Amino acid sequence: MPPSTVRSARRGVLLLLFLALGSFAWRVAAAPPAKAPAKKAVPPAEAEDSSEESTFFASVDVRVVNVEAVVTDKKGQPVPGLRAADFELFEDGKPVEITHFYGPGVTGGPAPADEAPAAENAPAPSSAPAETAGPRTGSLDDTPEGRLQIAVFVDHLSLPPFARKRLGESLQNFFDARSGRNDHVLLAGYDGGLRMSEIPPGDSEALRKALRDEMDRPARGLDASAARRRVLEEIQGASLPPSGSQPDSSEMEASSVESGIRLYVQQQNNQDRQTIAAISSVIDAMSGLPGRRAVLWVGGGLSLRPADMLIETFRRKYEHTPYQDMMNTIEGFRDDTTTKVEELTQHANAQRVTIYGLALPDGSLGVSAENPGESLLPTDLGRSEELARTMGIQIAASGTGGLAAAANADPGRFLNRIKNEMTSSYLLSYSPTRPADKKFHAIDVRMRDKRYQIRHREADRDQTTDERMKERTATALLLNTPSDAGPEANPLDAAIEIEGERPGKGDTVELALMVTVPMAKLVLLPQENVHEGKLRIYVGAKDAKERLSTITIVDAPIRVPNENLLTALGQTVGVRVTLVLRPGLHRIAAGVWDDLGRAEAVVLTRYVPAPASASAAPTAAAKAGAPLGD
């Protein structure tokens, strides 16, 4: 029997999920929770034949992959007025059909076969074949997919102090120029701990204040320079072995220098890895947002192989001595973080996030009158390391279709270029015909007119429903708001009802809550004796210190006896979940996925455990099922 949609506007008592003869509510907890208050339920179905086969659910997802592309001329200026026929789109080297096409000056509707380019510098019609049906087209500003979500990641650990003022002014000018575009802005500062502030769309005053506050934080980019200088001074001051056989301290000094180099490299390598992890967290926070997503990574860069420069300096110091081989150049590759940057690039591509990079190195590695102390370092090595510090940002930007530059003198010029590209980019969509998988698939966009250059992300990966819903739920927690806005933000009318709490272990409490959805909002599949559906619930929590729990997934099959169907239409499905929380304010998010209706929603609530249950000062929130560690 084909699926049918069950809809009703009536409301009634809570309907608990049915299985066999009894009703039950789902829960997730590490320890048995307090019994939830009794809920009235509709009469259960007659006993089922245990030999009945389980229902087979068949559903089809229409997958759409959006690819943002920036087209520039030989002077690096954006090219407006292009049409879909001017582009060729490939996945894994095979051509795919462009189903949607949005861009500056593009009019809405299907593109006529004889449509002409809208701008003078667009390719001539002869450069593109005639279109028959044509994709759906429109202006990027008029489609939800075109809305821009921007996160600014400021790496204070590598940012030099003298760059803060120019950077703050340039960022403010960048956002002032985009005022009125209703951008969703996330400001993230990292100084060993990650802070994320969501700026309400259109609130320019809140953005100015957030930028001022962030730029007022200490910039610690010279800390690594000072540590590196100390190591170089140790290398320079160490004694060379004497020409004779008399005993001396040179070997002990060389061993001390070697230990100093290894300690510096370990500290720098750990810092870079933690910075990459923080950027990955910002990408995660954006992953549940609709529209175009971009991260502007600002800082002094990463030292991908911090050992290279110092090992080479050490070997030159002790050239033609027995100590030269105490350190080998191959060791520099052991602590190489290039792989971590490449993994970050893949992660951004999987979340369809474009990375832009603004590198502001401190300049201390160059030999000049302003930096005489670094003459301890051979000039060629200093320049190589200065270049290497910007390479990590460049790798991430180029792999995701973004842009990167070292712009210490004038960061505003680079930001102005990004601004122009963001307002003149194109969005191409296609629907893969291959089976869905979790592999990365290469994307290639080509221009038929070879006068133009094009940038775009290099790969895409299909997301499972669980991945996408977990991201939406986590994003809602991180940004303190559902990831969508407007009347369609909660099409399932889902809600979180707090039922009660009881003391847990130590200073924790076990909170029983119910995630509810009106039955009339769900799609049910009629079977011989029952109507069946399937919900999937995603629950997580965040504490006042911005720490997130793991998102827990709960399956909730629905079976409504046919004779109770009309009554059930006005009632509510409830899925019970138990969270273990520490004292203090928490935000709780629940994502809901209707598997048959292919509909989803994310809802939020706030909760503070009762003071009587708190035996210590408020600390971390708990993840669903177990408390977070301290």
Side-chain angles (χ1 to χ4, degrees):
M1 183 177 294
S4 65
T5 303
V6 180
R7 294 286 187 264
S8 173
R10 291 180 293 169
R11 298 294 182 266
V13 296
L14 182 74
L15 171 69
L16 296 182
L17 307 181
F18 280 96
L19 181 65
L21 287 174
S23 64
F24 67 95
W26 289 81
R27 57 173 298 277
V28 179
K35 291 185 178 180
K39 297 287 184 177
K40 185 178 179 180
V42 298
E46 295 294 329
E48 288 187 69
D49 183 351
S50 60
S51 64
E52 182 183 30
E53 295 183 359
S54 60
T55 303
F56 172 74
F57 291 99
S59 59
V60 178
D61 275 326
V62 179
R63 292 174 292 139
V64 176
V65 178
N66 294 327
V67 183
E68 186 176 2
V70 175
V71 181
T72 56
D73 58 22
K74 292 181 179 180
K75 296 181 179 180
Q77 297 300 312
V79 180
L82 299 175
R83 56 176 183 161
D86 298 320
F87 297 81
E88 294 179 287
L89 184 56
F90 298 83
E91 184 186 75
D92 294 333
K94 300 178 181 179
V96 293
E97 179 186 0
I98 299 173
T99 58
H100 296 75
F101 179 75
Y102 301 100
V106 177
T107 56
D114 59 349
E115 178 183 2
E120 292 182 1
N121 61 345
S126 59
S127 68
E131 299 178 72
T132 54
R136 174 65 58 182
T137 63
S139 171
L140 202 58
D141 294 333
D142 298 334
T143 175
E145 290 81 4
R147 184 183 179 188
L148 187 60
Q149 321 284 355
I150 307 176
V152 180
F153 178 85
V154 183
D155 178 15
H156 294 284
L157 291 182
S158 64
L159 187 68
F162 55 78
R164 286 184 303 174
K165 183 177 180 181
R166 288 197 303 270
L167 174 62
E169 293 172 349
S170 299
L171 285 172
Q172 186 60 65
N173 293 335
F174 170 80
F175 285 110
D176 285 346
R178 290 196 57 83
S179 62
R181 290 187 173 272
N182 205 33
D183 294 336
H184 197 141
V185 181
L186 180 65
L187 189 59
Y190 179 70
D191 51 11
L194 180 63
R195 299 171 305 278
M196 288 189 282
S197 303
E198 182 195 16
I199 311 301
D203 193 340
S204 57
E205 187 56 40
L207 178 57
R208 288 190 186 93
K209 184 180 184 305
L211 283 172
R212 284 196 304 268
D213 292 346
E214 201 60 51
M215 291 301 106
D216 284 343
R217 294 183 181 275
R220 296 164 50 187
L222 296 183
D223 291 357
S225 299
R228 182 179 60 244
R229 183 187 295 270
R230 287 193 294 270
V231 175
L232 290 171
E233 289 173 346
E234 290 177 2
I235 296 175
Q236 185 185 56
S239 303
L240 291 173
S243 56
S245 59
Q246 64 271 27
D248 71 326
S249 63
S250 60
E251 184 175 1
M252 184 180 299
E253 292 176 29
S255 296
S256 176
V257 170
E258 177 195 8
S259 298
I261 291 175
R262 296 190 189 281
L263 178 60
Y264 168 81
V265 169
Q266 180 182 6
Q267 292 173 340
Q268 191 64 41
N269 186 264
N270 289 341
Q271 177 179 312
D272 288 349
R273 288 172 182 267
Q274 290 166 4
T275 299
I276 292 171
I279 299 171
S280 181
S281 295
V282 174
I283 291 173
D284 288 339
M286 300 190 71
S287 61
L289 296 172
R292 298 180 293 157
R293 307 162 194 155
V295 171
L296 175 59
W297 175 1
V298 181
L302 301 173
S303 184
L304 296 180
R305 290 202 297 269
D308 278 359
M309 176 188 68
L310 296 176
I311 289 176
E312 182 60 26
T313 304
F314 179 93
R315 288 179 59 81
R316 291 186 186 185
K317 165 79 176 185
Y318 292 107
E319 191 173 11
H320 306 306
T321 74
Y323 308 150
Q324 182 181 32
D325 291 333
M326 291 174 67
M327 303 200 78
N328 193 299
T329 53
I330 297 178
E331 293 183 57
F333 292 91
R334 185 175 58 194
D335 298 304
D336 190 351
T337 54
T338 302
T339 300
K340 291 296 181 182
V341 176
E342 291 171 346
E343 291 174 357
L344 176 72
T345 304
Q346 284 191 333
H347 181 55
N349 279 329
Q351 310 305 330
R352 301 173 185 177
V353 173
T354 302
I355 296 177
Y356 290 88
L358 178 55
L360 303 169
D362 59 31
S364 62
L365 292 168
V367 179
S368 65
E370 290 75 24
N371 295 295
E374 293 295 61
S375 60
L376 302 169
L377 183 68
T379 304
D380 60 328
L381 296 183
R383 290 173 179 169
S384 297
E385 176 67 8
E386 192 86 24
L387 177 63
R389 290 195 67 82
T390 65
M391 188 61 64
I393 294 179
Q394 292 175 355
I395 291 172
S398 63
T400 59
L403 193 66
N408 231 338
D410 188 7
R413 183 176 180 180
F414 176 70
L415 291 175
N416 188 60
R417 181 177 177 184
I418 295 177
K419 177 199 68 178
N420 292 337
E421 290 190 354
M422 286 179 172
T423 56
S424 57
S425 60
Y426 294 87
L427 193 67
L428 295 76
S429 303
Y430 70 96
S431 295
T433 56
R434 56 174 172 76
D437 56 40
K438 297 184 68 174
K439 299 178 181 178
F440 278 93
H441 297 272
I443 293 176
D444 188 18
V445 185
R446 304 173 190 171
M447 298 301 301
R448 296 185 185 275
D449 191 316
K450 305 309 178 184
R451 294 176 297 170
Y452 303 127
Q453 289 81 45
I454 187 168
R455 289 200 327 271
H456 56 86
R457 58 190 171 91
E458 297 176 347
D460 184 76
R461 182 177 67 83
D462 295 329
Q463 285 187 309
T464 65
T465 298
D466 282 348
E467 288 176 326
R468 184 171 50 78
M469 288 302 300
K470 287 171 68 174
E471 288 165 2
R472 278 202 63 189
T473 306
T475 296
L477 287 171
L478 286 166
L479 302 184
N480 300 325
T481 181
S483 56
D484 288 338
E488 297 304 318
N490 186 9
L492 294 176
D493 285 351
I496 300 175
E497 296 180 2
I498 303 298
E499 294 190 318
E501 67 174 61
R502 76 169 188 177
K505 294 182 179 180
D507 62 350
T508 67
V509 299
E510 294 179 3
L511 175 68
L513 59 87
M514 187 80 75
V515 180
T516 64
V517 181
M519 181 66 75
K521 291 290 184 177
L522 303 179
V523 175
L524 302 179
L525 180 67
Q527 300 297 314
E528 182 176 357
N529 297 315
V530 297
H531 276 65
E532 298 188 347
K534 184 178 180 182
L535 284 179
R536 205 160 170 83
I537 308 298
Y538 306 79
V539 181
K542 182 183 76 169
D543 72 345
K545 295 184 178 180
E546 302 294 319
R547 288 182 285 190
L548 296 185
S549 73
T550 300
I551 305 299
T552 298
I553 304 176
V554 182
D555 277 322
I558 302 169
R559 299 171 69 85
V560 180
N562 289 341
E563 61 269 27
N564 296 333
L565 181 60
L566 294 179
T567 303
L569 290 177
Q571 299 181 356
T572 303
V573 176
V575 182
R576 181 173 294 125
V577 180
T578 297
L579 303 179
V580 181
L581 307 179
R582 295 188 187 275
L585 173 66
H586 297 77
R587 289 187 181 273
I588 300 169
V592 181
W593 171 251
D594 176 7
D595 196 53
L596 285 182
R598 321 308 288 174
E600 61 191 67
V602 176
V603 289
L604 281 168
T605 192
R606 294 157 56 99
Y607 186 76
V608 179
S613 65
S615 59
T619 54
K623 68 182 180 181
L628 289 174
D630 292 327

